[in-house]
């Protein structure tokens, strides 16, 4: 009896992937002529055409720049904030923490329009820099939330031991806290990068030209641009945007699982 | 190098808790001083103030004459062993032990040499490449010790370093710590709530209660001449019997009457507590040690005997404990004279009656319900002021 | 908690001497706070404020009109019909999403070996963007070569006009939405199941309950909080869904999948009705909050303590 729901789960999850994969290996004309799952004449033609498209190349570059840019700033700004919330005692810290987490609940569709107006007002419409800024704001609550929990889980004694061992405040953070935080940082980074990489609504609202739009928007536009639906190229494009994330996901499971702290206390 | 002074040190936390009040004592160069007391009495707080992990609210702490109140832990040149060991989980044993040297920018060759020599002292050459999670409890303890000694600090601070070990290992490591400290001659402040550890390790032992220092003395003196009722009740196992007694002058001989019982006060005891003479006709706290009782043989005069009925007996092999209910009022050193007692925290409870405990040789063990005649050794009675709890010296 | 006077509060910034300047706390959190405020908090306030003005770009004046925009929105037939479609969409997503995530979670919870592998698969849709997912579903539900229709024809049924019929299009959109958002809902419920004491379900077995009955009467009530969480998540994502529907049907055929969010985009970006679009933004916020509160209320009323 157990196999039935499990088979359904696998079919449910993998079905769309497999069909997409199958179509992406066909010639556009063969999609209708050869509807089978295994293509009769598999070809990389669709992938080559995607990779050769200037629109794809630009969007890929934009996605990389904006994804890593916002990820970098998120960590740069989020780590000190999370550490402060987790360790320092300052007036109003609970309120401030709440204030930085609560906006997580603001739906992005609601932000599209006000942010669009703001970008026009600032002359930042259709700018990658502004997108990086906006994405950073979008990623921060998640990052801060995860990191605060993580920093709080690091035993205080480790920092005290470092202080007694002659480490300055900065050296403690560099030599003790950060190395221990690496698994958490990687987890946060991957989750945050996924958000940025897949973001569609805000890119739709804040960009106009190929100079700044990212992969999801480019993919969205390509549906119209290809005229009569070119299914192989669309699916190849979609799969190419997914592959980097899949590869990263397969790698981080290790970090999440590893109980690096197991030997820290007792 | 390594003389530590507490001058009127006070610690008050944000929530108003006074963890340490007016602490005054000094740890001499090379001395092994143990801070002992019940849970929550402020031992860790005192230690952490020396380390610089806790800000000092009032008074000052000096190390080698230098006031360290405002100094960071780094500037104090001390080393500390934590109860949880606090080993850095991402560093090997070698890196853990080398960490203080790395922070002091000792050059790598020298660092290596000093880590090796510390490892040799502690006998764990084969563990250098391991991570803390790959070590047993005892090995972790040793690494923590190693991390403290590599730097040759002015002072070692240890906060219950043995409490996470099992009983047997604890005894073994206790011996090792004592040996190590003797060899290195480094001033050591050691915190524990275990009186056996305190008595075996300390050159001198400081007993704390409710943030107040009760007595600072070598172990033997602590046992033989407790300054306060609290110390009397805290040091020794089973603890001293403490009860309300009245000093009577019966034809020139002093007698301590407690409930319907009485013990003669021998000249030796009066010599130790001369103030007893001033308390004739008044109430005092009488302390008797279980191990100073013995079953009387026939030749003792009647007035030296205590006749009591045995409630129950605990046979421990080498000795036996007998429990003798009395009608004397029991005095509890930890609640009656502490800070909390003064604020009335313990007010209004019915006084309990003392059940006298006697530790006797196992050969002549009486049985339940039997009447026994027990006597008390000379020179070993203890007397304290009933109001202040201080010894009547 | 007593905060004490500022000086002692400062003294215990952290407990370590020398780590005690309170401004370090403010300084380290300030950049993050500012960015979040500008990107997330400001737009909400701004939208609420702007929704009270008549902001058509064709006129020079932008007069304050109070709830005028809201009245405009409510008096439009298109608003009510898109609200109705959103209701159907959200309801469909919750029903399908909860059913699947509960069934899948129970199955995953029972698997011992190989669990990591299947769970890993189940999470895959989480990393697919809404546009890519929509595209994959467009391919899959193509009327001519799509697999559902191939199978239907093989079984002797007629092909279904999945994407050219309004009702079927809504069904496909619901499927695509659930596909992308199922992983987290599934993980919530699986997490709940894994906290259930094994002894409870074993006791039920001993008492004669079969696997299915024990699941319904023992396990389900115990994971009510996680089911609520999954509901909140699915509902939140459905109410605010835009990319999936836009890329899959664009609101069509006709306006059969024109949801509130698409309506907002149309008003704001195509018709430049800034004030009304802002009003719609606020309405979506409120709708979301109201739904979340009511799920929590339902759980309090019917869930176990
Ligand atoms: N950060 C703090 N804030 C408020 N009160 C505290 C704090 N730390 C300790 N205390 C209080 O100070 C008192 C002394 O604590 P301390 O840790 O020094 O006790 P201890 O003697 O080490 O006890 P133990 O043997 O249990 O470790 C206790 O009453 C404790 O509750
Ligand atoms: Mg302690």
């Amino acid at each position: 009896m157990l196999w039935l729901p499990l088979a359904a789960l696998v079919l449910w999850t993998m079905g769309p992937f497999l069909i997409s994969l199958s179509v992406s290996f066909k010639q556009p004309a063969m999609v209708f002529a050869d509807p089978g799952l295994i293509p009769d004449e598999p070809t990389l033609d669709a992938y080559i055409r995607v990779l050769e498209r200037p629109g794809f190349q630009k969007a890929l570059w934009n996605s990389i720049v904006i994804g890593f840019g916002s990820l970098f700033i998120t960590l740069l700004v989020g780590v000190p904030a999370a550490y402060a919330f987790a360790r320092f005692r300052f007036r109003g810290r609970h309120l401030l923490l709440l204030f930085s987490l609560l906006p997580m609940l603001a739906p992005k569709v609601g932000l599209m329009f006000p942010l669009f107006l703001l970008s026009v007002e600032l002359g930042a419409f259709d700018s990658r820099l502004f997108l990086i800024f906006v994405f950073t704001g979008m990623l921060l609550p998640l990052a801060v939330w995860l990191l605060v929990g993580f920093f709080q889980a690091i035993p205080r004694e480790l920092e005290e031991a470092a202080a007694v061992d002659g480490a300055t405040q900065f050296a403690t953070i560099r030599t003790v806290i950060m190395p221990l935080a690496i698994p958490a940082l990687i987890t946060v980074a991957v989750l945050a990068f996924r958000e940025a990489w897949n973001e569609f609504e805000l890119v739709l609202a804040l960009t106009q030209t190929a100079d700044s739009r990212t992969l999801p928007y480019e993919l969205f536009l390509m549906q119209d641009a290809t005229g009569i639906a070119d299914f192989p190229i669309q699916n190849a494009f979609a799969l190419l945007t997914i592959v980097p994330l899949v590869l990263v996901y397969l790698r981080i499971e290790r970090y999440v699982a590893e109980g690096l702290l197991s030997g820290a206390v007792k | 190098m390594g003389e530590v002074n507490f001058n009127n040190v006070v610690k008050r936390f944000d929530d108003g808790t006074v963890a340490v009040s007016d602490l005054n004592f000094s740890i001499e160069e090379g001395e092994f001083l143990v801070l002992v007391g019940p849970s929550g009495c402020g031992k860790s707080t005192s230690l952490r103030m020396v380390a610089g992990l806790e800000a000092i609210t009032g008074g000052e702490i000096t190390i080698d004459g230098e006031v360290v109140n405002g100094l960071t832990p780094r500037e104090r040149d001390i080393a500390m062993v934590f109860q949880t060991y606090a080993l850095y989980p991402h560093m090997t044993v070698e890196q853990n032990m080398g960490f203080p040297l790395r922070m002091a920018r000792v050059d790598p060759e020298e660092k290596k040499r000093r880590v090796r020599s510390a490892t040799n002292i502690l006998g764990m050459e084969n563990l250098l490449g391991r991570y803390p999670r790959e070590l047993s409890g005892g090995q972790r303890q040793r690494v923590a010790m190693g991390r403290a000694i590599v730097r040759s600090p002015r002072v070692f601070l240890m906060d219950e370093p043995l409490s996470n070990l099992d009983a047997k290992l604890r005894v073994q490591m206790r011996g090792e710590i004592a040996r190590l400290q003797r060899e290195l001659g480094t001033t050591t402040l050691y915190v524990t709530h275990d009186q056996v550890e305190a008595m075996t390790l300390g050159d001198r032992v400081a007993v704390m209660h409710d943030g107040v220092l009760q007595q600072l003395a070598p172990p033997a003196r602590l046992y033989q001449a407790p300054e306060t009722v609290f110390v009397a009740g805290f040091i020794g196992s089973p603890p001293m019997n403490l009860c309300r007694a009245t000093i009577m002058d019966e034809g020139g001989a002093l007698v301590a009457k407690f409930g319907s019982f009485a013990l003669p006060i021998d000249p030796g005891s009066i010599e130790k507590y001369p103030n007893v003479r001033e308390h004739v006709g008044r109430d005092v706290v009488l302390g008797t040690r279980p191990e100073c009782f013995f079953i009387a043989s026939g030749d003792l005069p009647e007035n030296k005997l205590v006749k009591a009925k045995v409630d129950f007996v605990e046979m421990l092999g080498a000795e036996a404990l007998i429990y003798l209910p009395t009608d004397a009022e029991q005095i509890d050193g930890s609640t009656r004279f502490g800070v909390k007692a003064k604020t009335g925290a313990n007010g209004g409870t019915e006084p309990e009656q003392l059940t006298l405990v006697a530790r006797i040789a196992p050969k002549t063990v009486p049985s339940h319900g039997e009447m026994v005649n027990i006597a008390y050794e000379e020179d070993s009675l203890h007397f304290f002021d009933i109001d202040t709890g201080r010894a009547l010296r | 908690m007593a905060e004490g006077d500022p000086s002692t509060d400062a003294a215990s910034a952290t407990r370590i001497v020398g780590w005690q300047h309170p401004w370090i706390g403010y300084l380290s959190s300030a950049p993050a706070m500012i960015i979040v405020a500008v990107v997330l908090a400001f737009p909400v306030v701004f939208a609420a404020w702007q929704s009270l003005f008549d902001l058509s770009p064709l006129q020079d004046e932008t007069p304050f009109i109070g709830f005028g925009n809201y009245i405009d929105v409510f008096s439009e037939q298109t608003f009510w019909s898109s609200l109705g479609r959103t209701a159907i969409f959200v309801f469909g997503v919750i029903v399908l999403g909860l059913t699947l995530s509960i069934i899948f979670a129970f199955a995953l919870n029972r698997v011992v070996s190989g669990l990591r592998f299947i769970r890993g698969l189940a999470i895959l849709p989480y990393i697919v963007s809404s546009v890519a997912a929509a595209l994959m579903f467009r391919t899959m539900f193509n009327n001519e070569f799509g697999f559902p229709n191939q199978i239907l024809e093989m079984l002797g049924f007629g092909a279904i006009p999945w994407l050219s019929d309004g009702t079927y299009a809504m069904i496909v959109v619901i499927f695509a939405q659930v596909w992308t958002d199922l992983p987290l809902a599934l993980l919530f419920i699986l997490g709940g199941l894994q906290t259930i004491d094994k002894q409870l379900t074993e006791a039920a077995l001993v008492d004669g309950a079969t696997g299915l009955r024990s699941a319904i009467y023992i396990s389900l009530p115990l994971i009510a909080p996680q089911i609520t969480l999954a509901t909140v998540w699915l509902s939140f994502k459905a109410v605010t869904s835009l990319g999936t529907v836009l890329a899959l049907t664009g609101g069509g055929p006709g306006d059969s999948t024109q949801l509130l969010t698409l309506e907002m985009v149309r008003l704001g970006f195509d018709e430049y009705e800034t004030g009304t679009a802002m009003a719609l933004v606020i309405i979506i916020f409120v709708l979301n909050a109201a739904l979340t509160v009511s799920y929590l209320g339902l759980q309090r009323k019917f869930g176990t303590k």
Side-chain angles (χ1 to χ4, degrees):
Chain A
M1 270 305 286
L2 194 56
W3 64 268
L4 197 65
L6 283 179
L9 171 56
V10 173
L11 192 69
W12 163 267
T13 309
M14 296 311 291
F17 282 115
L18 293 179
I19 291 167
S20 181
L21 204 62
S22 155
V23 169
S24 74
F25 283 113
K26 293 173 182 171
Q27 294 285 0
M30 294 303 286
V31 172
F32 294 88
D34 165 31
L37 193 59
I38 315 263
D40 288 339
E41 302 159 17
T43 167
L44 286 174
D45 172 66
Y47 288 92
I48 293 166
R49 284 189 296 138
V50 171
L51 294 174
E52 280 174 347
R53 282 177 78 93
F56 175 82
Q57 294 166 3
K58 270 195 165 169
L60 177 64
W61 178 238
N62 288 338
S63 275
I64 290 173
V65 169
I66 293 169
F68 281 106
S70 54
L71 175 60
F72 178 73
I73 303 180
T74 299
L75 291 180
L76 194 71
V77 169
V79 167
Y83 187 75
F85 285 129
R87 278 288 196 268
F88 296 149
R89 295 229 235 132
F90 49 101
R91 206 166 261 279
R93 63 189 190 285
H94 300 294
L95 213 65
L96 290 177
L97 178 60
L98 191 69
F99 179 70
S100 61
L101 295 186
L102 212 58
M104 220 179 336
L105 303 177
K108 277 175 291 183
V109 282
L111 305 179
M112 291 170 68
F113 210 56
L115 283 176
F116 163 69
L117 293 180
L118 180 67
S119 74
V120 172
E121 202 63 38
L122 297 175
F125 179 65
D126 201 31
S127 113
R128 287 193 299 207
L129 216 57
F130 190 68
L131 268 189
I132 290 179
F133 179 74
V134 167
F135 279 21
T136 303
M138 196 181 70
L139 305 179
L140 268 172
L142 175 77
V144 169
W145 185 51
L146 291 172
L147 288 172
V148 165
F150 179 80
F151 285 134
Q152 279 173 344
I154 295 182
R156 231 178 229 283
E157 278 103 3
L158 286 183
E159 281 165 75
E160 296 180 345
V164 170
D165 284 343
T168 59
Q169 187 167 350
F170 181 70
T172 304
I173 292 175
R174 191 174 53 82
T175 56
V176 176
I177 303 298
M178 280 306 138
L180 288 174
I182 283 175
L185 289 180
I186 291 180
T187 309
V188 170
V190 171
L191 290 178
F193 188 73
R194 181 206 76 103
E195 288 281 323
W197 186 260
N198 285 343
E199 176 57 38
F200 172 64
E201 284 87 351
L202 293 175
V203 183
L204 180 68
L206 298 177
T207 67
Q208 188 162 37
T209 65
D211 290 334
S212 54
R213 62 172 167 252
T214 58
L215 287 168
Y217 192 15
E218 183 68 25
L219 176 61
F220 176 74
L221 289 178
M222 199 180 59
Q223 299 189 93
D224 304 329
T226 50
I228 185 164
D230 184 343
F231 284 101
I233 196 171
Q234 289 176 8
N235 282 287
F237 193 133
L239 289 171
L240 282 176
T241 65
I242 297 168
V243 166
L245 285 184
V246 175
L247 293 182
V248 172
Y249 256 76
L250 293 180
R251 308 212 90 205
I252 63 150
E253 277 209 298
R254 188 169 62 94
Y255 281 102
V256 181
E258 198 162 283
L260 190 67
L261 281 173
S262 64
V265 175
K266 218 173 137 199
Chain B
M1 287 262 291
E3 187 192 324
V4 180
N5 263 295
F6 282 72
N7 299 325
N8 308 90
V9 172
V10 175
K11 175 67 191 185
R12 187 172 50 248
F13 286 104
D14 289 350
D15 60 0
T17 315
V18 177
V20 173
S21 41
D22 200 23
L23 208 53
N24 275 297
F25 68 89
S26 57
I27 312 169
E28 271 137 41
E29 232 178 275
E31 184 179 26
F32 197 128
L33 191 127
V34 178
L35 208 50
V36 70
S39 186
C41 71
K43 309 178 295 284
S44 297
T45 307
S46 307
L47 186 88
R48 291 165 56 85
M49 284 191 286
V50 180
L53 298 175
E54 208 78 74
I56 299 163
T57 318
E60 57 186 35
I61 293 178
T62 65
I63 301 180
D64 291 334
E66 177 195 17
V67 177
V68 297
N69 288 34
L71 299 188
T72 61
R74 173 186 166 81
E75 292 156 343
R76 298 188 186 198
D77 192 17
I78 35 103
M80 180 158 169
V81 177
F82 290 77
Q83 182 174 355
T84 55
Y85 315 140
L87 301 180
Y88 309 119
H90 58 297
M91 299 184 195
T92 62
V93 168
E94 180 160 16
Q95 288 164 339
N96 260 285
M97 290 177 52
F99 187 76
L101 301 177
R102 184 173 144 207
M103 289 298 115
R105 299 185 200 289
V106 172
D107 81 52
E109 275 311 305
E110 170 71 3
K111 184 172 92 182
K112 197 162 187 155
R113 198 186 58 68
R114 280 162 70 176
V115 169
R116 295 287 145 144
S117 92
T119 341
N120 286 341
I121 296 176
L122 293 162
M124 43 182 203
E125 297 83 348
N126 51 344
L127 301 178
L128 279 175
R130 297 234 194 130
Y131 285 91
R133 61 176 173 277
E134 301 164 341
L135 300 176
S136 71
Q139 290 166 335
R140 282 178 203 171
Q141 222 285 321
R142 243 172 272 226
V143 177
M145 295 289 304
R147 194 171 63 185
I149 66 176
V150 277
R151 206 181 31 168
S152 319
R154 292 193 287 187
V155 183
F156 286 148
L157 304 171
M158 305 190 190
D159 193 352
E160 313 211 11
L162 301 180
S163 60
N164 275 340
L165 300 177
D166 64 48
K168 208 172 147 201
L169 208 50
R170 201 176 317 166
V171 174
Q172 183 193 336
M173 289 306 298
R174 198 169 78 201
E176 260 183 66
I177 290 178
R179 174 181 65 87
L180 205 62
Q181 200 272 342
R182 245 191 335 269
E183 281 170 17
L184 299 170
T186 308
T187 311
T188 302
L189 178 56
Y190 184 106
V191 162
T192 180
H193 61 254
D194 178 348
Q195 53 159 308
V196 180
E197 252 172 51
M199 302 296 268
T200 52
L201 284 173
D203 294 329
R204 286 190 302 159
V205 175
V207 182
M208 276 183 83
H209 179 222
D210 278 357
V212 177
L213 180 65
Q214 300 285 314
Q215 185 173 5
L216 174 59
R221 181 155 176 79
L222 221 47
Y223 175 81
Q224 286 156 4
E227 273 311 326
T228 67
V229 174
F230 176 79
V231 175
F234 186 77
I235 301 289
S237 173
M240 191 184 276
N241 302 296
L242 291 163
C243 64
R244 182 188 285 273
T246 314
I247 308 292
M248 311 285 265
D249 189 340
E250 294 189 341
L254 294 187
V255 175
K257 282 218 147 70
F258 53 109
S260 51
F261 301 86
L263 274 172
I265 308 176
D266 57 273
S269 295
I270 295 177
E271 202 173 304
K272 284 185 186 164
Y273 294 93
N275 248 338
V276 169
R277 284 204 203 89
E278 327 289 307
H279 283 73
V280 174
R282 289 159 63 187
D283 280 4
V284 298
V285 179
L286 167 70
T288 51
R289 291 227 177 255
E291 50 273 30
C292 294
F293 284 103
F294 54 91
I295 302 271
S297 44
D299 51 355
L300 276 170
E302 192 72 2
N303 68 350
K304 296 206 162 175
L305 298 179
V306 174
K307 279 195 196 347
K309 196 164 163 186
V310 176
D311 186 31
F312 68 99
V313 179
E314 274 177 3
M315 187 63 206
L316 301 174
E319 67 208 28
L321 301 181
I322 58 177
Y323 291 80
L324 310 162
T326 71
D327 54 354
E329 179 192 336
Q330 172 160 12
I331 303 289
D332 184 341
S334 65
T335 53
R336 190 182 174 97
F337 301 103
V339 175
K340 285 168 197 132
K342 282 181 196 138
T343 59
N346 198 42
T349 50
E350 274 290 297
E352 276 191 44
Q353 292 190 331
L354 172 74
T355 297
L356 197 72
V357 183
R359 195 163 88 181
I360 58 169
K363 281 174 241 163
T364 52
V365 177
S367 52
H368 166 75
E370 200 176 312
M371 289 295 292
V372 289
N373 280 329
I374 58 170
Y376 195 73
E377 277 175 20
E378 304 226 317
D379 302 350
S380 338
L381 289 171
H382 302 272
F383 298 97
F384 306 91
D385 190 292
I386 192 96
D387 297 319
T388 64
R390 303 209 65 85
L392 293 179
R393 272 198 277 275
Chain C
M1 226 195 65
E3 287 284 2
D5 63 316
S7 60
T8 60
D9 200 35
S12 60
T14 73
R15 302 199 297 191
I16 301 175
V17 173
W19 291 50
Q20 45 185 245
H21 312 288
W23 52 263
I24 291 183
Y26 296 114
L27 219 60
S28 354
S29 55
M33 309 284 316
I34 291 169
I35 297 179
V36 168
V38 171
V39 174
L40 300 179
F42 156 77
V44 180
V45 178
F46 181 67
W49 177 240
Q50 293 291 86
S51 72
L52 304 175
F53 293 85
D54 184 3
L55 293 173
S56 291
L58 302 179
Q59 60 201 34
D60 296 332
E61 307 261 291
T62 56
F64 179 84
I65 51 167
F67 291 101
N69 285 320
Y70 294 87
I71 294 168
D72 276 359
V73 169
F74 292 135
S75 60
E76 288 272 351
Q77 183 51 40
T78 49
F79 167 76
W80 295 105
S81 45
S82 59
L83 181 65
R85 286 186 287 265
T86 299
I88 293 170
F89 177 68
V90 172
F91 182 75
V93 167
I94 291 177
V95 170
L96 181 65
L98 276 188
T99 311
L100 288 180
S101 54
I102 289 173
I103 292 174
F104 291 164
F106 269 94
L108 279 180
N109 192 38
R110 297 274 298 279
V111 175
V112 183
S113 60
L115 176 127
R116 278 177 67 85
F117 147 75
I118 298 187
R119 186 191 293 188
L121 277 190
I123 296 171
L124 270 186
Y126 177 65
I127 59 179
V128 177
S129 70
S130 55
V131 180
L135 221 132
M136 288 159 76
F137 271 74
R138 236 162 109 114
T139 308
M140 186 159 79
F141 282 98
N142 183 280
N143 291 349
E144 283 150 67
F145 63 87
F147 263 76
N149 273 355
Q150 282 189 46
I151 292 170
L152 285 174
E153 277 170 14
M154 224 161 58
L155 297 174
F157 299 101
I160 289 178
W162 289 109
L163 288 171
S164 42
D165 175 276
T167 311
Y168 287 119
M170 179 60 90
I171 292 175
V172 174
V173 170
I174 288 172
F175 266 78
Q177 178 74 24
V178 170
W179 189 76
T180 43
D181 289 338
L182 194 69
L184 269 191
L186 178 59
L187 284 187
F188 290 150
I189 294 178
L190 187 58
L193 284 177
Q194 286 175 343
T195 61
I196 294 181
D197 189 350
K198 276 252 157 53
Q199 289 185 350
L200 270 180
T201 42
E202 279 164 11
L205 273 181
V206 174
D207 291 342
T210 62
L212 193 62
R213 294 176 120 235
S214 126
I216 292 173
Y217 294 112
I218 311 289
S219 304
L220 272 190
L222 285 173
I223 56 166
Q226 284 80 11
I227 293 179
T228 310
L229 183 61
T231 312
V232 169
W233 163 251
L234 288 168
S235 164
F236 176 91
K237 293 295 280 186
V239 171
T240 63
S241 170
L242 176 64
T244 313
V245 190
L246 204 58
L248 185 47
T249 64
D255 53 9
S256 55
T257 53
Q258 182 78 2
L259 305 179
L260 272 186
T261 48
L262 276 76
E263 192 64 18
M264 184 213 79
V265 171
R266 186 184 65 84
L267 278 176
F269 290 95
D270 299 346
E271 314 218 336
Y272 302 108
E273 290 282 351
T274 309
T276 356
M278 292 297 196
L280 210 46
V281 166
I282 298 301
I283 290 170
I284 292 175
F285 274 24
V286 172
L287 186 65
N288 234 327
L291 282 176
T292 303
V293 169
S294 59
Y295 301 132
L296 296 176
L298 277 180
Q299 194 222 322
R300 190 151 314 145
K301 198 157 174 204
F302 296 111
T304 47
K305 298 282 146 11

